Amino acid sequence: MKAVLMAAGMGTRVSKEIKSIPKCTVRVGEKTLIEHTISQLRRKEVKEIAVVVGYQANRLCDLLKGEGLHIYHNPFFDMTNSIASLWFAREFLHGDDFLLLNADLYMEERVLDEILADEASPVLFSDGTRRKEADYKLSYRDGVLQKHGKELDGDEVTGEYLGIAKICRPFLPLFKERMEQLINRQQHHLWWENVLYSFIGERDVYVEEIPPGLFWAEVDTLRDYERILEYANKLAKV
Protein backbone atom coordinates (compact mmCIF):
# COMPACT_ATOMS: atom_id res chain seq x y z
CA MET A 1 0.00 0.00 0.00
CA LYS A 2 1.17 3.51 -0.88
CA ALA A 3 -0.26 6.87 0.14
CA VAL A 4 -0.29 10.39 -1.30
CA LEU A 5 -0.88 13.31 1.06
CA MET A 6 -2.19 16.43 -0.66
CA ALA A 7 -0.61 19.42 1.10
CA ALA A 8 -0.27 22.11 -1.57
CA GLY A 9 -3.35 24.23 -0.89
CA MET A 10 -3.52 27.67 0.72
CA GLY A 11 -6.48 26.95 3.03
CA THR A 12 -8.02 30.36 2.46
CA ARG A 13 -11.10 29.75 4.62
CA VAL A 14 -9.10 29.28 7.80
CA SER A 15 -5.71 30.83 7.04
CA LYS A 16 -6.21 34.04 9.06
CA GLU A 17 -7.18 32.09 12.18
CA ILE A 18 -4.06 29.89 12.02
CA LYS A 19 -1.56 32.68 11.21
CA SER A 20 -1.47 31.80 7.49
CA ILE A 21 0.53 28.59 7.97
CA PRO A 22 -0.36 25.49 5.92
CA LYS A 23 -3.37 23.79 7.50
CA CYS A 24 -1.56 20.49 7.85
CA THR A 25 1.10 22.12 10.06
CA VAL A 26 -1.21 23.06 12.91
CA ARG A 27 -0.13 21.30 16.07
CA VAL A 28 -2.06 18.50 17.76
CA GLY A 29 -0.18 17.72 20.93
CA GLU A 30 3.51 17.23 20.24
CA LYS A 31 3.11 16.74 16.48
CA THR A 32 1.75 18.67 13.55
CA LEU A 33 -1.31 17.29 11.82
CA ILE A 34 0.66 15.92 8.88
CA GLU A 35 3.26 14.30 11.14
CA HIS A 36 0.45 12.62 13.07
CA THR A 37 -0.99 11.18 9.83
CA ILE A 38 2.40 10.01 8.58
CA SER A 39 3.02 8.23 11.89
CA GLN A 40 -0.38 6.52 11.64
CA LEU A 41 0.26 5.36 8.09
CA ARG A 42 3.65 3.93 9.00
CA ARG A 43 2.24 2.04 11.97
CA LYS A 44 -0.08 0.38 9.47
CA GLU A 45 2.89 -0.49 7.23
CA VAL A 46 2.04 2.05 4.55
CA LYS A 47 5.73 2.52 3.93
CA GLU A 48 5.84 4.49 0.69
CA ILE A 49 4.36 7.92 1.23
CA ALA A 50 4.37 10.93 -1.09
CA VAL A 51 3.54 14.50 -0.11
CA VAL A 52 2.56 17.13 -2.67
CA VAL A 53 3.55 20.62 -1.53
CA GLY A 54 2.91 24.09 -2.93
CA TYR A 55 1.90 26.83 -0.51
CA GLN A 56 4.85 27.53 1.82
CA ALA A 57 6.63 24.52 0.34
CA ASN A 58 9.89 25.33 2.11
CA ARG A 59 8.19 25.23 5.52
CA LEU A 60 6.76 21.79 4.79
CA CYS A 61 9.98 20.45 3.30
CA ASP A 62 11.92 21.59 6.37
CA LEU A 63 9.35 20.03 8.69
CA LEU A 64 9.43 16.69 6.87
CA LYS A 65 13.16 16.54 6.22
CA GLY A 66 14.62 13.15 7.09
CA GLU A 67 11.24 11.39 6.98
CA GLY A 68 12.13 9.43 3.84
CA LEU A 69 9.15 10.76 1.91
CA HIS A 70 8.65 11.34 -1.81
CA ILE A 71 8.12 15.09 -2.19
CA TYR A 72 6.43 16.60 -5.25
CA HIS A 73 5.90 20.30 -5.85
CA ASN A 74 3.07 22.16 -7.55
CA PRO A 75 4.62 25.57 -8.35
CA PHE A 76 1.25 26.81 -9.64
CA PHE A 77 -0.64 26.11 -6.40
CA ASP A 78 -2.08 29.63 -6.33
CA MET A 79 -3.57 29.29 -9.84
CA THR A 80 -4.63 25.64 -9.86
CA ASN A 81 -6.45 23.17 -7.65
CA SER A 82 -5.54 19.77 -6.24
CA ILE A 83 -5.98 17.87 -9.52
CA ALA A 84 -2.92 19.74 -10.79
CA SER A 85 -1.06 18.94 -7.58
CA LEU A 86 -1.74 15.23 -8.01
CA TRP A 87 -0.71 15.45 -11.66
CA PHE A 88 2.74 16.60 -10.55
CA ALA A 89 2.99 13.36 -8.52
CA ARG A 90 1.76 11.14 -11.34
CA GLU A 91 5.03 9.17 -11.60
CA PHE A 92 4.44 7.92 -8.05
CA LEU A 93 1.06 6.42 -8.97
CA HIS A 94 2.08 2.93 -10.00
CA GLY A 95 2.69 -0.58 -8.78
CA ASP A 96 0.45 -0.84 -5.73
CA ASP A 97 -2.87 0.01 -4.11
CA PHE A 98 -3.18 3.64 -3.04
CA LEU A 99 -4.65 5.88 -0.42
CA LEU A 100 -5.20 9.46 -1.58
CA LEU A 101 -5.90 11.83 1.26
CA ASN A 102 -6.01 15.50 2.08
CA ALA A 103 -3.22 16.41 4.47
CA ASP A 104 -5.45 18.53 6.73
CA LEU A 105 -7.31 15.38 7.80
CA TYR A 106 -7.22 14.03 11.36
CA MET A 107 -8.64 10.62 12.17
CA GLU A 108 -8.45 8.24 15.05
CA GLU A 109 -6.56 5.09 14.22
CA ARG A 110 -9.64 2.88 14.02
CA VAL A 111 -10.85 4.96 11.08
CA LEU A 112 -7.66 4.11 9.21
CA ASP A 113 -8.12 0.44 10.13
CA GLU A 114 -11.59 0.48 8.55
CA ILE A 115 -10.27 2.19 5.42
CA LEU A 116 -7.40 -0.24 4.94
CA ALA A 117 -9.67 -3.25 5.45
CA ASP A 118 -12.17 -2.12 2.81
CA GLU A 119 -11.91 -4.09 -0.43
CA ALA A 120 -13.92 -1.86 -2.78
CA SER A 121 -12.22 0.24 -5.45
CA PRO A 122 -12.41 3.05 -6.25
CA VAL A 123 -13.96 3.99 -2.93
CA LEU A 124 -14.54 7.25 -1.08
CA PHE A 125 -15.12 7.31 2.66
CA SER A 126 -18.05 8.99 4.34
CA ASP A 127 -19.51 9.77 7.74
CA GLY A 128 -23.22 9.01 7.59
CA THR A 129 -23.86 10.62 10.98
CA ARG A 130 -22.83 14.11 9.78
CA ARG A 131 -25.51 15.07 7.29
CA LYS A 132 -26.79 18.40 8.57
CA GLU A 133 -23.35 19.80 9.49
CA ALA A 134 -21.55 18.29 6.50
CA ASP A 135 -19.14 20.53 4.60
CA TYR A 136 -18.66 18.51 1.40
CA LYS A 137 -21.70 16.29 0.91
CA LEU A 138 -22.13 12.95 -0.79
CA SER A 139 -25.29 11.26 -2.02
CA TYR A 140 -25.04 7.51 -2.45
CA ARG A 141 -27.37 4.57 -2.79
CA ASP A 142 -26.47 0.97 -1.99
CA GLY A 143 -22.89 2.07 -1.49
CA VAL A 144 -22.55 3.68 -4.93
CA LEU A 145 -21.97 7.41 -5.41
CA GLN A 146 -24.81 9.27 -7.12
CA LYS A 147 -24.11 12.97 -6.49
CA HIS A 148 -21.63 15.18 -4.68
CA GLY A 149 -21.22 18.83 -3.72
CA LYS A 150 -21.62 21.52 -1.10
CA GLU A 151 -24.98 22.49 -2.59
CA LEU A 152 -26.70 19.15 -1.90
CA ASP A 153 -29.56 19.50 0.56
CA GLY A 154 -32.17 17.61 2.51
CA ASP A 155 -32.73 13.92 1.98
CA GLU A 156 -30.29 13.67 -0.93
CA VAL A 157 -27.40 14.10 1.54
CA THR A 158 -26.41 10.68 2.86
CA GLY A 159 -23.02 11.53 4.38
CA GLU A 160 -20.06 13.86 4.68
CA TYR A 161 -16.93 13.14 2.65
CA LEU A 162 -13.89 12.48 4.84
CA GLY A 163 -11.23 13.66 2.38
CA ILE A 164 -9.80 10.22 1.65
CA ALA A 165 -10.16 7.62 -1.08
CA LYS A 166 -8.67 4.23 -1.86
CA ILE A 167 -7.77 3.09 -5.35
CA CYS A 168 -6.62 -0.47 -5.94
CA ARG A 169 -3.96 -1.26 -8.51
CA PRO A 170 -6.26 -2.56 -11.32
CA PHE A 171 -8.08 0.80 -11.45
CA LEU A 172 -4.95 2.97 -11.43
CA PRO A 173 -4.42 3.07 -15.23
CA LEU A 174 -8.01 4.28 -15.74
CA PHE A 175 -7.60 6.85 -13.00
CA LYS A 176 -4.36 8.20 -14.42
CA GLU A 177 -5.71 8.28 -17.96
CA ARG A 178 -8.78 10.25 -16.86
CA MET A 179 -6.63 12.65 -14.84
CA GLU A 180 -4.48 13.30 -17.91
CA GLN A 181 -7.58 13.90 -20.01
CA LEU A 182 -8.91 16.49 -17.57
CA ILE A 183 -5.54 18.22 -17.32
CA ASN A 184 -5.24 18.29 -21.11
CA ARG A 185 -8.66 19.97 -21.24
CA GLN A 186 -7.27 22.70 -18.98
CA GLN A 187 -9.46 21.61 -16.07
CA HIS A 188 -6.86 22.78 -13.57
CA HIS A 189 -9.50 24.25 -11.27
CA LEU A 190 -10.87 20.83 -10.26
CA TRP A 191 -10.20 18.88 -7.09
CA TRP A 192 -8.33 15.57 -7.36
CA GLU A 193 -11.58 13.88 -6.34
CA ASN A 194 -13.16 15.12 -9.58
CA VAL A 195 -11.20 12.42 -11.38
CA LEU A 196 -13.32 9.89 -9.51
CA TYR A 197 -16.51 11.93 -9.79
CA SER A 198 -16.09 11.98 -13.58
CA PHE A 199 -16.76 8.24 -13.67
CA ILE A 200 -20.29 8.58 -12.26
CA GLY A 201 -22.63 7.07 -14.85
CA GLU A 202 -19.81 5.14 -16.52
CA ARG A 203 -18.85 2.76 -13.75
CA ASP A 204 -19.46 2.38 -10.03
CA VAL A 205 -17.60 4.68 -7.67
CA TYR A 206 -18.17 3.25 -4.22
CA VAL A 207 -18.76 4.98 -0.90
CA GLU A 208 -18.08 3.29 2.42
CA GLU A 209 -19.34 4.74 5.68
CA ILE A 210 -17.07 4.60 8.70
CA PRO A 211 -18.71 3.12 11.81
CA PRO A 212 -20.67 5.62 13.92
CA GLY A 213 -18.81 7.09 16.86
CA LEU A 214 -15.33 7.14 15.33
CA PHE A 215 -13.66 10.54 15.37
CA TRP A 216 -12.32 12.41 12.37
CA ALA A 217 -12.15 16.01 11.19
CA GLU A 218 -10.79 17.93 8.22
CA VAL A 219 -9.51 21.44 8.99
CA ASP A 220 -11.69 23.64 6.79
CA THR A 221 -12.65 26.05 9.59
CA LEU A 222 -11.32 27.08 12.98
CA ARG A 223 -14.10 25.06 14.60
CA ASP A 224 -12.80 21.92 12.88
CA TYR A 225 -9.39 22.50 14.45
CA GLU A 226 -10.95 23.15 17.83
CA ARG A 227 -12.84 19.84 17.58
CA ILE A 228 -9.55 18.04 16.94
CA LEU A 229 -7.88 19.69 19.93
CA GLU A 230 -10.85 18.82 22.17
CA TYR A 231 -10.65 15.17 21.09
CA ALA A 232 -6.85 15.02 21.50
CA ASN A 233 -7.10 16.59 24.98
CA LYS A 234 -9.63 13.96 26.05
CA LEU A 235 -7.32 11.22 24.83
CA ALA A 236 -4.42 12.71 26.75
CA LYS A 237 -6.45 12.54 29.97
CA VAL A 238 -7.42 8.88 29.57
Side-chain angles (χ1 to χ4, degrees), residues 27 36 51 60 79 86 119 144 149 174 179 214 219 223:
R27 300 201 71 83
H36 173 81
V51 180
L60 271 166
M79 297 180 286
L86 187 58
E119 297 182 354
V144 176
L174 289 174
M179 179 173 66
L214 297 186
V219 182
R223 180 57 192 146

Side-chain angles (χ1 to χ4, degrees), residues 115-135:
I115 287 167
L116 291 172
D118 198 277
E119 297 182 354
S121 173
V123 56
L124 299 158
F125 294 91
S126 170
D127 185 343
T129 68
R130 287 179 54 86
R131 299 183 184 186
K132 292 183 179 179
E133 62 268 65
D135 182 60

Side-chain angles (χ1 to χ4, degrees), residues 113-178:
D113 289 335
E114 292 287 331
I115 287 167
L116 291 172
D118 198 277
E119 297 182 354
S121 173
V123 56
L124 299 158
F125 294 91
S126 170
D127 185 343
T129 68
R130 287 179 54 86
R131 299 183 184 186
K132 292 183 179 179
E133 62 268 65
D135 182 60
Y136 200 87
K137 304 162 186 175
L138 300 179
S139 179
Y140 41 92
R141 184 171 61 248
D142 299 325
V144 176
L145 183 64
Q146 307 294 316
K147 298 178 182 178
H148 60 92
K150 292 178 180 290
E151 72 284 352
L152 296 183
D153 195 23
D155 292 340
E156 64 182 348
V157 180
T158 42
E160 181 176 20
Y161 171 52
L162 264 65
I164 184 167
K166 186 162 77 169
I167 298 172
C168 292
R169 181 165 46 183
F171 186 71
L172 263 182
L174 289 174
F175 180 88
K176 291 173 69 176
E177 180 182 19
R178 183 60 55 87

Side-chain angles (χ1 to χ4, degrees), residues 190-206:
L190 298 177
W191 303 99
W192 66 260
E193 291 93 344
N194 283 97
V195 180
L196 294 176
Y197 300 152
S198 72
F199 285 98
I200 295 174
E202 294 181 28
R203 59 165 296 149
D204 289 344
V205 176
Y206 300 101

Side-chain angles (χ1 to χ4, degrees), residues 25 75 80 89:
T25 64
T80 63

